Amino acid sequence: MRLRVEFTTEPFDLDEAPAHAVVARDVVTGAELDAVDVGPFGNTAEGEAEQVLGAVAALLRESLQAGATRVSLQVNVIQGAGQGAGQGVGEAT
């Protein structure tokens, strides 16, 4: 199964990337994920379920330790990977 994760960390700092954001981005860019896209207000990555879930656990743990007060994320099954369009992990078919 392939998954896509979208995430942001807070608090925001418009002048420079806070440590928690840098840590979270380092986790996903260092993981074995495909299609990693990092931006100032949101980040996405895709990959096989085990790699995505492992990266999510690491980015939660490490970004919170680095000072994040909130981590917002969404994980979706990629269409064509055995699920219907728009269904997320744990949603009924």
Side-chain angles (χ1 to χ4, degrees):
M1 171 182 350
R2 289 188 55 81
L3 302 176
R4 176 181 297 117
V5 61
E6 301 175 40
F7 69 93
T8 58
T9 61
E10 295 180 40
F12 295 116
D13 182 342
L14 298 178
D15 293 327
E16 64 183 76
H20 57 80
V22 173
V23 166
R25 291 176 192 157
D26 287 348
V27 168
V28 295
T29 58
E32 295 180 21
L33 302 176
D34 306 325
V36 175
D37 183 25
V38 296
F41 299 108
N43 309 283
T44 61
E46 297 178 6
E48 293 301 316
E50 289 303 313
Q51 284 74 29
V52 171
L53 296 174
V56 166
L59 84 87
L60 288 170
R61 182 177 46 255
E62 294 180 29
S63 62
L64 292 169
Q65 288 175 348
T69 57
R70 176 186 294 201
V71 180
S72 301
L73 65 89
Q74 179 174 329
V75 178
N76 291 303
V77 174
I78 297 174
Q79 183 177 357
Q83 294 282 340
Q87 291 182 317
V89 174
E91 291 182 359
T93 56

